[in-house]
Amino acid sequence: MEVTVKIFRYNPEQDKRGHYETYKVEADENDRVLDVLELIKGHTDGSLAFRRSCAHGVCGSDAMRINGRNHLACKTLIRDVGANITIEPLLGLKVAKDLIVDMDPFFDNYKKMLPYMINDSPLPADGKERLQSPEQRARFDESTKCIMCAACTTSCPSFWASDEYYGPAAIIAAHRFIFDSRDEGASERLQVLSETDGVARCHTAFNCTNACPRDIHITQAIGEVKLAMVTGKLD
Amino acid sequence: MGLNRNVDLLTGLRYKGQGPYLTFILHRIGGSALFIFFTLYILTLAGVEFAHALFSNALVQIVIVVLGIFHAINGLRITILDLFPKLIQHYRVAINIEWAVYILICGFAIFVVLRSAAGG
Ligand code: SF4
Ligand code: FES
């Protein structure tokens, strides 16, 4: 089938503002949007810039707006988006070139969540592992699935309004450790998240939940963090 | 480096969020309608003539009722889900229930406004 692809283009060395270019390619309905982008870059216009790495929904590099909504290009089939496709960069982050955005503010917010295990207590008597039950592990299982693609954060109207808001992905990173029974940094993280740029800025638009390629119940996780903040309970 | 990050209103509105995003947008519009309602109400109490005329207009009343009631019911749904995060996974059901309740209450409110406008 012939697919018409309209792509946002911006070259910081030539353009003052972005524009769109349209390409026509032959593709199978079971091809992915990433395949179409590779076709264009390989055969029609080598100057097209976009991020990709694993091509299998694992690395989180190729989140972009496809027909007006955030997706991973490598997980989006042509048959699901149709023969007329518009591809644009993520919203709320500076566009560096074409479909590539500057992810620095996103990762800066991530770092503020102290996304690592905090536990200064001595090791158990056997000097080996800090054990936890399957139930304790299940408590934060959802939030371990995050691949840091930024599809959630850049679909959030609160983040569009201000990138000072930590955003759903950062809160998911915090959730992963706050509810981990082996971690002792929950109060520190809840303190960070109780600031003006924290969870209070989530107005439950659910764009994040609908954009997440890993089907993480993001809004629910944010709700759990909100409740933990108010009640002080982590169960 | 690069193009500005600012997302203008139109671009934001064009984002293809789904039903929940629509309720998010309508919630803001409903909040603005309530702001207008209270402003008109205070001005009417203060004896400002044009505010009184607007306040008595059935069409204005219907617009405020339609948007204001949505804001109230949607706010209630958000509060319930905030208090019980485990229910958030059923947000689509919650939104469907919200629409059903809204249509019932709003329909009744519009009926009352129209009946009083017709002198009933
Ligand atoms: S929570 Fe989902 S959408 Fe957000 S960064 Fe992680 S994987 Fe991507
Ligand atoms: S290229 Fe790695 S997630 Fe799509």
Side-chain angles (χ1 to χ4, degrees):
Chain A
M1 67 194 276
E2 188 182 72
V3 179
T4 306
V5 196
K6 190 174 147 194
I7 305 179
F8 179 91
R9 303 298 307 268
Y10 169 71
N11 181 347
E13 287 164 10
Q14 293 170 4
D15 306 329
K16 281 214 168 63
R17 46 196 304 188
H19 62 279
Y20 289 86
E21 278 174 31
T22 304
Y23 306 86
K24 289 193 187 297
V25 287
E26 274 304 314
D28 189 89
E29 61 164 11
N30 291 318
D31 282 342
R32 303 158 309 166
V33 171
L34 182 63
D35 298 323
V36 168
L37 285 172
E38 297 279 22
L39 259 178
I40 295 170
K41 186 169 175 69
H43 298 278
T44 317
D45 187 347
S47 69
L48 177 64
F50 56 91
R51 282 197 185 100
R52 58 88 88 193
S53 182
C54 71
H56 287 86
V58 178
C59 70
S61 334
D62 62 340
M64 52 190 77
R65 249 181 318 150
I66 300 172
N67 285 354
R69 201 182 140 198
N70 288 358
H71 294 274
L72 289 183
C74 65
K75 279 190 79 178
T76 308
L77 299 181
I78 300 298
R79 67 161 183 246
D80 293 330
V81 287
N84 290 304
I85 310 172
T86 303
I87 307 178
E88 297 160 295
L90 297 172
L91 286 172
L93 295 169
K94 279 186 180 174
V95 178
K97 186 167 191 256
D98 298 339
L99 302 173
I100 296 180
V101 291
D102 172 13
M103 298 284 281
D104 282 355
F106 175 78
F107 286 114
D108 288 346
N109 285 335
Y110 173 68
K111 287 179 208 150
K112 288 178 194 154
M113 297 303 117
L114 317 174
Y116 40 80
M117 183 73 69
I118 299 175
N119 190 333
D120 294 328
S121 307
L123 282 171
D126 65 3
K128 291 184 186 162
E129 295 171 78
R130 300 182 196 279
L131 297 175
Q132 67 183 171
S133 68
E135 291 73 30
Q136 287 171 323
R137 174 62 178 76
R139 182 67 189 85
F140 61 95
D141 190 57
E142 276 275 299
S143 39
T144 62
K145 296 193 291 182
C146 176
I147 55 172
M148 302 297 298
C149 68
C152 54
T153 296
T154 59
S155 71
C156 173
S158 297
F159 184 78
W160 297 338
S162 161
D163 62 1
E164 300 285 307
Y165 169 45
Y166 303 141
I171 301 172
I172 284 294
H175 181 281
R176 185 255 169 267
F177 289 101
I178 288 171
F179 294 98
D180 186 333
S181 58
R182 299 163 299 180
D183 183 271
E184 293 177 346
S187 56
E188 231 172 310
R189 294 190 190 91
L190 289 174
Q191 180 58 41
V192 175
L193 285 166
S194 67
E195 288 163 8
T196 327
D197 300 319
V199 287
R201 289 216 186 177
C202 167
H203 299 302
T204 60
F206 284 94
N207 279 2
C208 56
T209 303
N210 289 321
C212 180
R214 306 284 295 170
D215 293 330
I216 300 174
H217 294 292
I218 305 174
T219 316
Q220 178 172 348
I222 297 176
E224 289 170 4
V225 172
K226 283 179 182 169
L227 202 65
M229 195 177 292
V230 175
T231 61
K233 289 192 189 137
L234 297 179
D235 45 6
Chain B
M1 180 199 77
L3 282 184
N4 207 321
R5 68 166 294 279
N6 287 344
V7 183
D8 60 51
L9 183 63
L10 216 63
T11 313
L13 288 175
R14 279 209 310 260
Y15 183 83
K16 298 243 169 37
Q18 297 165 339
Y21 185 45
L22 178 67
T23 64
F24 169 86
I25 295 168
L26 290 177
H27 192 74
R28 266 80 212 151
I29 298 174
S32 312
L34 287 182
F35 174 76
I36 293 169
F37 166 77
F38 285 115
T39 310
L40 284 181
Y41 185 63
I42 291 165
L43 291 177
T44 303
L45 289 181
V48 177
E49 195 47 47
F50 90 90
H52 184 255
L54 268 180
F55 208 56
S56 323
N57 183 299
L59 194 67
V60 173
Q61 287 176 1
I62 287 176
V63 169
I64 288 177
V65 156
V66 165
L67 297 174
I69 290 180
F70 183 84
H71 186 82
I73 293 175
N74 191 55
L76 195 62
R77 192 254 310 164
I78 292 171
T79 309
I80 293 171
L81 294 188
D82 264 350
L83 287 174
F84 305 99
K86 287 209 163 46
L87 294 179
I88 293 181
Q89 56 183 300
H90 307 296
Y91 68 97
R92 289 189 190 280
V93 178
I95 289 173
N96 287 342
I97 295 173
E98 172 189 339
W99 278 113
V101 172
Y102 171 69
I103 288 168
L104 280 176
I105 296 181
C106 200
F108 178 70
I110 292 173
F111 168 73
V112 171
V113 171
L114 289 177
R115 193 181 56 182
S116 87

